[in-house]
Amino acid sequence: MKLLTVLGARPQFIKAGPVSREIINRRQAGFDIDELIVHTGQHFDENMSEIFFREMSIPRPAFNLGISDKSHGAMTGRMLEAIERLLIAEQPDCVLVYGDTNSTLAGALAASKLGQKVAHVEAGLRSFNRCMPEEINRILTDRISELLFCPTELAMKNLDSEGIDNWGGGARSILTGDVMQDAAMFYRQQALKPERIEVAGEYILCTVHRAENTDDPDCLAGIFSALQKIAQRKQVIFPLHPRTAKALRKADFDTSAISFIEPVGYLGMMWLIDHCAMVMTDSGGLQKEAFFFAKPCMTLRQETEWVELVDHGYNVVAGTEESTILSAFEEYRFNTNFDVDLYGGGTASEKIVDCLLAGQLADNS
């Protein structure tokens, strides 16, 4: 089996790492499976993409498209065109896509239009917020995928409620667990303290990068006004995403109390999560990683795809207003018993590769 994997953004590198490692293990054990990785270039900063291939021992990309820093439509269109050419030349048995980025949608669309099979890792997630580009990407990708690898029971239920069994073409959803837990469990022992980090006792790890926050002046003002006040009481370490840095330069807020650092690699982020007292973020992946490391999490958005974390009391959706963030920080009481299996216990990659090798992608026409 020849797989072509489309990656482009930081979270996808993390998710792909354990699956690529499992593919290599199976190939070395004599199974007929091979993988070509396509890097779209969606994240082009050294610390936001290239470093993940080095740290996580992912095979070097066979192709790097170098497509970045464009509008959603222009980026997706350029990727679609370039990936289509690769698919015609390589003729893979399956195109593997991850998550909900423009790279995800472009890979799935290009394959679908050529009649090639698509498998979607992290299928079935829904925020039910159509203003999020990621929500559109994940809905459309699920609609045109033959195999939908779901990280949670709720993701399975979402697909069932949308009529997954009635889409035609033999599409099916499979509960695998979350590949990000596989990665966290494997790489935790390799975590490295980032250079030039000064930690003053307990600290909060914070990230903000989603466009609905960085591009909305009210959201940005509410979040950073709250963080500035919190940082005067407890250190807030903030790896600064390029998009957020650009927005803050334009906004000219008082952020003097916040400990900004450069973006860090995956192993550095693992160290920061493992040693923090709390996580505050608008990242879906970091919400889960906080749980994997038994850390409470505040989500700086109006909703989350990872509802099970909220339902179990590990995460609180604090919104983007100063008052709601400060209220959640001061008043919410988190569940401190993390001894519950929500994401498959670290076996998702094995299940995904098992499904691929078992002929799940046989032609159903």
Side-chain angles (χ1 to χ4, degrees), residues 18 37 67 114 127 130 134 139 164 166 204 214-215 237 239 243 262-263 274 294 314 325 334 352:
I37 294 176
I67 300 170
L114 291 172
S127 69
R130 292 294 185 94
E134 295 89 347
I139 289 172
I164 177 68
N166 299 316
I204 297 167
T214 62
D215 298 352
I237 294 180
R243 180 193 293 135
E262 292 295 316
D274 202 15
Y314 305 122
I325 295 171
F334 292 94
I352 288 169

Side-chain angles (χ1 to χ4, degrees), residues 17-160:
V19 177
S20 293
R21 189 173 64 251
E22 185 65 23
I23 290 170
I24 292 171
N25 290 341
R26 300 296 181 95
R27 186 170 67 248
Q28 292 175 345
F31 288 91
D32 180 19
I33 187 168
D34 199 8
E35 179 183 39
L36 292 174
I37 294 176
V38 177
H39 182 2
T40 66
Q42 184 169 337
H43 277 171
F44 57 93
D45 184 273
E46 166 72 8
N47 287 328
M48 296 294 282
S49 62
E50 182 70 15
I51 193 169
F52 289 97
F53 289 97
R54 295 199 302 266
E55 289 186 343
M56 300 183 74
S57 301
I58 300 172
R60 308 298 297 177
F63 307 97
N64 193 321
L65 306 182
I67 300 170
S68 63
D69 199 24
K70 302 182 185 302
S71 67
H72 284 288
M75 185 182 296
T76 305
R78 289 278 304 279
M79 289 176 185
L80 180 61
E81 180 181 16
I83 294 169
E84 182 183 61
R85 287 196 297 268
L86 289 178
L87 295 179
I88 292 171
E90 296 296 333
Q91 292 295 310
D93 298 298
C94 172
V95 175
L96 193 60
V97 296
Y98 291 79
D100 52 22
T101 70
N102 291 333
S103 301
T104 310
L105 179 59
L109 276 174
S112 181
K113 286 178 177 293
L114 291 172
Q116 298 179 353
K117 305 295 185 181
V118 180
H120 185 199
V121 177
E122 204 176 72
L125 297 187
R126 297 292 183 268
S127 69
F128 303 102
N129 178 1
R130 292 294 185 94
C131 293
M132 291 176 59
E134 295 89 347
E135 182 78 349
I136 303 303
N137 290 342
R138 62 174 70 108
I139 289 172
L140 294 176
T141 300
D142 283 344
R143 287 279 174 178
I144 55 179
S145 296
E146 278 71 35
L147 272 184
L148 298 116
F149 296 127
C150 298
T152 65
E153 290 279 4
L154 181 58
M156 293 282 286
K157 292 178 181 177
N158 287 338
L159 293 176
D160 183 62

Side-chain angles (χ1 to χ4, degrees), residues 204 226-236 257-259:
I204 297 167
L227 291 178
Q228 173 71 2
K229 292 183 178 179
I230 292 170
Q232 292 169 3
R233 299 161 55 183
K234 181 175 288 191
Q235 185 181 20
V236 175
I258 301 171
S259 300

